[in-house]
Amino acid sequence: MAMMALPIDSRLQAIRSVLAEHTRALLIAAPGAGKTTRVPLALLDEPWCRSGKLLLLEPRRVAARLAAGYMAEQLGERVGETVGYRMRGESRTGPSTRLEVVTQGVLTRLLQDDPLLEGVAGLVFDEFHERSLEADLGLALALDAQQGLREDLRLLVMSATLDVPSLLAVLGESTPIIDCPGRSFAVETRYRPLNSREDTARQQAAVVNEALQSDGFEGGDALVILPGVGEIRRLARQLDVQTASFEVRELHGRLSLAEQRRALRRDPEGRRRVVLATAIAESSVTVDGVRIVIDAGQERVPVYQPRTGLTRLETRRVNRASADQRRGRAGRQGPGLCLRLWAEEQPLIPHGEPEIRQADLAPLAFELARWGISDPAALAWVTPPPAAALAAGRELLQRLSVLDDAFHLTALGCACVRWPTHPRLAVMLTRAVDLQARPLACAVVATLETRELDGERDLERALQSRLAERSNGPWQRDARRLARIAGCELEVASLAPLGELLALAYPERVGQRLEPGCFRLVGGGLATLPEDTPLAHSELLVAVELDGQNGEARIFRAVSLSSRRLEALYPESLEWRTRLEWSDSEGKLLGEQVRGLGAVVLARKPLQKMPREAVHQALLEAVRRRGTLAFTPADDQLRGRMALLRRIEGDAWPDWSTASLLDRLDTWLALYLDRENRLDALDRLPLGRFLRDSLDGSRRACLEELAPERLPVPSGSFVQVDYTPCLQDGEPVLAAKLQELFGWRTTPRLVRGQVPVLVHLLSPARRPLQVTRDLESFWRNGYPQVRKEMRGRYPKHPWPEDPLSAVATARTRSRR
C-alpha cells in the first residue's frame, strides 16, 4: 500500500550512507518525523543487514506491538512474517522474520545469553531520551560487545531529543549525527486546573466537551493523555454517561494489538474520536487525525520502593520536556489546541531524571556480575550508576547469597539467571524446589510483581482470595508463564510454605515480636503494625511491604513464620555466637550467647566470660557513638599545638582532631586498654600522654621548638601560650600583664617565624586592656590612652611615658 510522505523520508538515504561506512550513528528526529517505522524498514536491504536481522528497541510494550503491526501492514504482511515483536511473556516472530521490535529488557537477556548476538546485524535504540535503566544497560553492554566481539554490529541511537555531548562521550566524538526536523503547526495552549475537592473524571469530561466545541477545531479528534488504565476507565465511564456525537477509544498496554491499532485510526464512519491514552501517546506512536490534546499533567515512572524491595510505577507530575512533547501532538497535521489540566503558574521540573539515578540497582548489579564485570567503570555509560546505590544493590545480593565477596555470581546466582524477575524473587523461585513449593512461588512472584493487594495486611489471606479467582488477569498469566519456565503445573496445594518462601526473598525483613505489634527485624530496626491485627501477636513474621528505612517502620503486609522453619531455611541460626551489647544506662558491656538470624534471637544463655578483645572493641565503639573524648585542658593545649603545626606544615604532622582520633581509636587508644570494662574508667586515662608518646624523640623536640608551651617575656617570666583556639583554626594567644612587656618591640612569632601570636595585654587585675598582633604600633598609638585611664586606677604599678625604654616587671612600685 502507498505510504504517506513523512519528514524522515528526506533523510533515509543519508542514514543508509552513514551506516554503510560507520558502525555507530545518532539520529535526532523531531516528533512525528516517522523515524520509528520508516528507518528500520529502510535498513533491511542494506548489504550489512542482509546477513542478519535488525532489532528495534522500544521502551514500552504497547509501542513495540503497534510499531510492528504498522510496519507489517506497510509490507502487506501479518505480524510475525518479515516484521515481528518480542517482549517478556509474549512473542510473534517466525522463520522469515528479519526485523524484530523488542522491549529494552529483552536486549539485555539476548546479550547475556549470546554476547556475539549471532544472527543480529544491527540494533536501533528508539526514544532513547526516556533513559530507562534497561536502555542505559543495554547500550553499555552492546557497546562492550561491539568493541570486543562484534566490530561489524551496527548501533543507531535515535530520539526526538538527545543529550548529544553525553552520548558522543560514550559512542565516540567522531560518531555521525543525522538531524531531521519535524512537521509542526501552531498550537494554542489553555490551562484548566482541576478542583481537588470535586470528582476528577467529571471535571475532565467537561474539559473534553469544551475542547470539542472550540471554534476552529470542530473537525479534529481529541487525544487525552492520562497516567494509567484506571484513570482511562473512569473517564471513559463518565463520557459514556453523557450524550455525545463522538466515539471514545482507549489506548494502553492491556488491549490486544487489534484494539490498539484501531485506536490509532480514524473512524471509518467519519465520527470524531476521543482517544484516552497513557503516556505511550506522548512520543512513541502517532494518533492520526488528532488536533486537540488534553494533558492531565501526570505520568507513571518506575521508582524503587523500599517498602516492597521492588521497583513499582509511581504517579507524579509530568516534567516540562514531556509536557511540551505532549503539546506538540496537537500540531502534527494542522493547527492545534492543547488544554492542560493544571494552573499556568504550576512549576514543572525541566527534565525527568535518568532511571539509573533513582532505581534499585540490585538487578543492575546482578546483570553486571552475569556479564563478568566487577568494576562498572569498565563499561561506557551515558550516566554511570551511582556508587552508593550500586553498593546497596550488591550488599543485598550478597545477603541473598547471589554474589560472593568479589561480586561474582555464586552457584545460586547462576541458577537464578533463568528467571526474568528481580533477583530476590529469583532466589525464591530457585530455592522453592527444596520446599516442594514451586507452583506457590510462581503465584506469589506474579502477585507481587503485577499488582497491589488491597486491604488485607495478612498476605496469606489476601493471596488465598486471589488464588480462588477464576479470571484470566495479568497476574494469573504471569504465574502460568513462570510455571512453564519452572516446568510445573500451576496447582497450589497448600499455602503452608508461604512464610518460608518469603523469608528466602526477604531475609532481612524477618521480624521477632518484642511486644504486640512491635517487631525487631534481622537488621536491628523496628517495625510496627496495629495491635488489633492477628499478625501483631505472631512470634515471628516476614514483612513483605513496609515503609521507612531507618528507625521504626510501618508494616503494610506480612505473613507469619515459625522458628522451626526459619532454622531449617538458615542453618546458621542454629549456631551459638557471643553477643555483646553496650549498656548506656550502666556504662558497661553486657554479654550473652545467642543463636538466631541477625538481631532475631531464637535462644539465649548466659556468657560465662567475656573476651577481653571484645570488651575493648565495645568500649571503643561506645566512645565513637558518644562522639567525644575526655580530654583535659592540658590535653587540648597539646592538641592545639599539633593543629597549628599541621595547618602550617601539612601532613608532616598527625591529625589530632576529635573526628580523626575517633576514627583511629584502634591505632592509638586500644594499645593502652588493660582491664577497663566501663566507660568512666576509660575517661580517666591520660589521653594527652598517649598522644605525646606516639611521637618519636625528634618529633617531640621539634614540637617544643616550633610551638613551645611557654614563651619568655621581658620581665623574665615564662608565660604560657594558649593554643586551644588553634583547634578551631584560630590563633595562639599570649596573655600577660602589660608591665611585663615593657621594651618588647616585636610581636613574638612561632613555627619558624610564620605565625605571630595574638597578644592579650592585661591590667594588673589581669583584665584585658588591649588585643594586638603589632606591639610596636600599640606602644605608639594605643598605650597613651591606656596609661591615661589606668594609672589612676592602679597607682602602685608603673605607667611610664616611654614604655619601650622602661624596665619590664611583674611587681608593683618599690615602697619608699
Side-chain angles (χ1 to χ4, degrees):
M1 60 179 291
M3 293 191 290
M4 178 181 65
L6 292 171
I8 195 66
D9 295 336
S10 65
R11 298 292 192 271
L12 293 179
Q13 185 53 49
I15 297 170
R16 292 189 192 100
S17 299
V18 162
L19 289 175
E21 299 179 6
H22 301 82
T23 58
R24 302 176 183 178
L26 298 179
L27 171 60
I28 304 174
K35 63 184 181 303
T36 300
T37 54
R38 293 289 172 86
V39 172
L41 289 177
L43 297 176
L44 284 182
D45 292 328
E46 289 298 289
W48 56 265
C49 195
R50 291 173 188 161
S51 60
K53 65 177 64 175
L54 192 66
L55 301 185
L56 171 64
L57 279 75
E58 289 295 331
R60 298 181 178 88
R61 298 164 69 96
V62 175
R65 291 194 194 97
L66 291 173
Y70 182 83
M71 288 186 287
E73 184 179 334
Q74 300 306 305
L75 298 176
E77 299 177 351
R78 292 177 300 178
V79 176
E81 296 181 34
T82 301
V83 181
Y85 68 78
R86 194 184 333 182
M87 58 196 66
R88 191 173 77 172
E90 185 178 354
S91 176
R92 289 186 63 179
T93 62
S96 61
T97 300
R98 296 190 56 228
L99 170 57
E100 277 193 38
V101 188
V102 302
T103 49
Q104 292 163 341
V106 169
L107 173 63
T108 299
R109 296 191 70 82
L110 289 174
L111 281 164
Q112 294 282 22
D113 292 339
D114 177 17
L116 284 171
L117 282 183
E118 290 190 19
V120 175
L123 307 175
V124 180
F125 291 81
D126 193 21
E127 307 295 352
F128 192 79
H129 71 277
E130 296 195 10
R131 299 297 309 283
S132 72
L133 177 60
E134 289 177 332
D136 277 16
L137 174 61
L139 180 60
L141 296 184
L143 288 169
D144 196 43
Q146 184 192 54
Q147 183 175 4
L149 301 169
R150 285 287 311 277
E151 293 182 356
D152 62 319
L153 183 68
R154 261 61 175 185
L155 300 179
L156 175 62
V157 180
M158 59 185 196
S159 173
T161 56
L162 282 176
D163 183 356
V164 173
S166 296
L167 276 165
L168 290 180
V170 297
L171 296 177
E173 295 297 331
S174 61
T175 302
I177 302 173
I178 304 106
D179 195 358
C180 177
R183 184 172 54 195
S184 182
F185 297 86
V187 177
E188 177 187 348
T189 304
R190 303 175 188 170
Y191 290 85
R192 296 293 183 267
L194 304 184
N195 188 332
S196 60
R197 293 187 294 274
E198 298 180 10
D199 183 76
T200 299
R202 187 178 296 114
Q203 295 178 81
Q204 291 171 339
V207 176
V208 170
N209 284 318
E210 174 197 343
L212 293 174
Q213 297 168 19
S214 297
D215 293 340
F217 303 100
E218 295 87 348
D221 293 336
L223 172 65
V224 185
I225 303 179
L226 298 162
V229 175
E231 292 83 355
I232 287 175
R233 298 270 168 83
R234 284 190 287 273
L235 179 54
R237 287 194 296 268
Q238 187 64 42
L239 291 172
D240 285 343
V241 169
Q242 304 175 8
T243 301
S245 58
F246 54 84
E247 182 183 15
V248 177
R249 296 183 184 176
E250 299 181 9
L251 179 58
H252 52 77
R254 296 187 187 177
L255 302 175
S256 67
L257 176 59
E259 291 172 315
Q260 291 168 352
R261 294 180 64 187
R262 178 174 170 269
L264 298 181
R265 294 174 175 168
R266 302 193 188 204
D267 184 69
E269 299 179 8
R271 290 176 298 177
R272 301 181 75 182
R273 294 175 304 158
V274 174
V275 180
L276 311 181
T278 58
I280 177 61
E282 177 183 315
S283 59
S284 298
V285 297
T286 296
V287 185
D288 189 25
V290 166
R291 298 275 303 283
I292 300 167
V293 168
I294 300 169
D295 183 5
Q298 295 177 314
E299 60 182 349
R300 291 234 164 93
V301 294
V303 176
Y304 174 58
Q305 295 183 327
R307 65 183 264 186
T308 63
L310 300 173
T311 296
R312 295 295 182 100
L313 293 177
E314 182 177 288
T315 303
R316 58 174 59 172
R317 187 165 295 281
V318 74
N319 62 74
R320 190 185 312 134
S322 292
D324 291 343
Q325 188 122 319
R326 295 177 179 188
R327 177 181 177 273
R329 288 276 154 176
R332 292 282 182 86
Q333 298 172 329
L337 170 67
C338 176
L339 288 93
R340 291 174 164 174
L341 304 185
W342 66 87
E344 185 172 4
E345 62 273 13
Q346 172 68 49
L348 301 178
I349 61 173
H351 300 280
E353 276 281 299
E355 187 184 354
I356 199 169
R357 288 182 177 167
Q358 55 188 347
D360 165 28
L361 295 191
L364 177 68
F366 180 77
E367 296 296 344
L368 291 179
R370 189 179 173 194
W371 192 253
I373 293 292
S374 58
D375 181 5
L379 297 178
W381 301 92
V382 180
T383 301
L390 181 61
R394 284 173 162 172
E395 181 182 352
L396 171 62
L397 297 184
Q398 289 173 327
R399 186 185 301 125
L400 293 168
S401 300
V402 170
L403 293 186
D404 61 21
D405 292 340
F407 308 133
H408 299 146
L409 289 180
T410 61
L412 174 61
C414 292
C416 289
V417 163
R418 66 190 295 204
W419 303 106
T421 187
H422 191 285
R424 67 161 79 233
L425 300 182
V427 169
M428 178 199 296
L429 289 163
T430 301
R431 297 187 63 184
V433 69
D434 299 329
L435 304 174
Q436 299 181 337
R438 272 273 171 85
L440 177 59
C442 293
V444 171
V445 171
T447 302
L448 293 175
E449 283 203 319
T450 55
R451 63 179 299 175
E452 294 281 352
L453 294 175
D454 298 325
E456 183 61 69
R457 288 182 181 271
D458 189 325
L459 182 60
E460 184 173 355
R461 294 182 182 180
L463 185 61
Q464 201 164 27
S465 66
R466 295 301 175 191
L467 287 170
E469 295 178 0
R470 297 302 178 188
S471 61
N472 189 30
W475 82 270
Q476 288 96 337
R477 291 196 295 270
D478 277 0
R480 285 194 291 271
R481 177 175 55 85
L482 291 170
R484 285 195 298 272
I485 297 174
C488 66
E489 296 294 328
L490 190 63
E491 297 179 359
V492 178
S494 170
L495 295 183
L498 181 59
E500 293 167 272
L501 288 174
L502 292 169
L504 290 172
Y506 300 92
E508 79 282 11
R509 297 187 185 182
V510 173
Q512 182 176 37
R513 191 189 70 203
L514 301 179
E515 58 186 57
C518 181
F519 294 82
R520 184 176 299 284
L521 304 179
V522 166
L526 298 180
T528 63
L529 47 73
E531 292 184 32
D532 58 356
T533 61
L535 280 172
H537 302 275
S538 299
E539 290 297 325
L540 294 174
L541 54 69
V542 185
V544 180
E545 293 184 33
L546 47 80
D547 69 355
Q549 299 183 62
N550 299 307
E552 186 173 304
R554 291 181 302 159
I555 299 173
F556 289 90
R557 188 157 288 111
V559 65
S560 62
L561 177 70
S562 73
S563 59
R564 178 179 58 82
R565 290 184 169 177
L566 181 64
E567 291 169 348
L569 284 181
Y570 296 101
E572 62 266 33
S573 64
L574 296 172
E575 298 174 1
W576 289 96
R577 67 183 190 275
T578 298
R579 189 173 78 166
L580 305 171
E581 288 187 352
W582 183 264
S583 170
D584 287 326
S585 60
E586 297 187 41
K588 67 177 182 179
L589 191 66
L590 306 178
E592 60 181 348
Q593 281 196 300
V594 300
R595 62 175 184 83
L597 196 64
V600 171
V601 177
L602 302 178
R604 52 174 33 101
K605 60 185 180 180
L607 182 65
Q608 300 302 320
K609 183 178 180 182
M610 286 188 286
R612 179 58 49 192
E613 180 63 25
V615 174
H616 291 168
Q617 286 302 315
L619 273 172
L620 298 180
E621 185 55 39
V623 174
R624 287 192 189 97
R625 192 166 58 248
R626 185 180 65 181
T628 60
L629 289 161
F631 289 119
T632 66
D635 297 340
D636 284 338
Q637 288 290 341
L638 175 64
R639 294 194 309 122
R641 296 162 70 193
M642 188 59 70
L644 176 64
L645 291 176
R646 183 173 172 82
R647 188 200 317 167
I648 302 303
E649 299 195 342
D651 293 340
W653 296 94
D655 184 355
W656 285 353
S657 65
T658 299
S660 176
L661 291 172
L662 287 172
D663 285 342
R664 297 183 291 109
L665 291 174
D666 291 326
T667 63
W668 69 276
L669 183 56
L671 307 174
Y672 298 95
L673 299 182
D674 186 15
R675 299 182 178 279
E676 293 81 3
N677 65 353
R678 298 183 62 89
L679 194 58
D680 54 2
L682 187 147
D683 286 343
R684 292 192 292 269
L685 295 175
L687 303 183
R689 193 189 77 199
F690 298 161
L691 291 176
R692 186 187 293 272
D693 290 346
S694 68
L695 301 175
D696 60 30
S698 62
R699 273 291 176 210
R700 286 197 291 270
C702 198
L703 170 66
E704 297 303 328
E705 176 188 351
L706 300 182
E709 290 185 72
R710 297 175 177 274
L711 287 175
V713 296
S715 67
S717 300
F718 282 80
V719 177
Q720 183 173 356
V721 179
D722 183 6
Y723 288 93
T724 56
C726 300
L727 292 171
Q728 304 296 327
D729 289 334
E731 301 169 89
V733 173
L734 177 74
K737 288 197 297 183
L738 180 148
Q739 283 77 10
E740 291 198 67
L741 306 186
F742 288 157
W744 213 0
R745 293 177 178 271
T746 305
T747 305
R749 304 177 75 88
L750 305 173
V751 195
R752 309 183 210 279
Q754 298 180 74
V755 181
V757 298
L758 187 63
V759 180
H760 285 211
L761 296 158
L762 307 179
S763 72
R766 304 198 67 80
R767 294 190 177 90
L769 294 174
Q770 191 82 18
V771 175
T772 183
R773 296 182 187 85
D774 188 346
L775 277 172
E776 189 169 9
S777 174
F778 166 74
W779 296 129
R780 184 171 58 252
N781 301 312
Y783 175 72
Q785 183 64 32
V786 170
R787 176 176 182 268
K788 180 179 179 181
E789 294 175 358
M790 293 292 108
R791 65 178 181 172
R793 186 177 302 177
Y794 300 102
K796 294 184 177 180
H797 291 75
W799 300 96
E801 291 187 15
D802 183 5
L804 291 176
S805 62
V807 177
T809 179
R811 302 179 179 181
T812 59
R813 298 177 188 272
S814 300
R815 295 182 179 179
R816 295 181 180 178

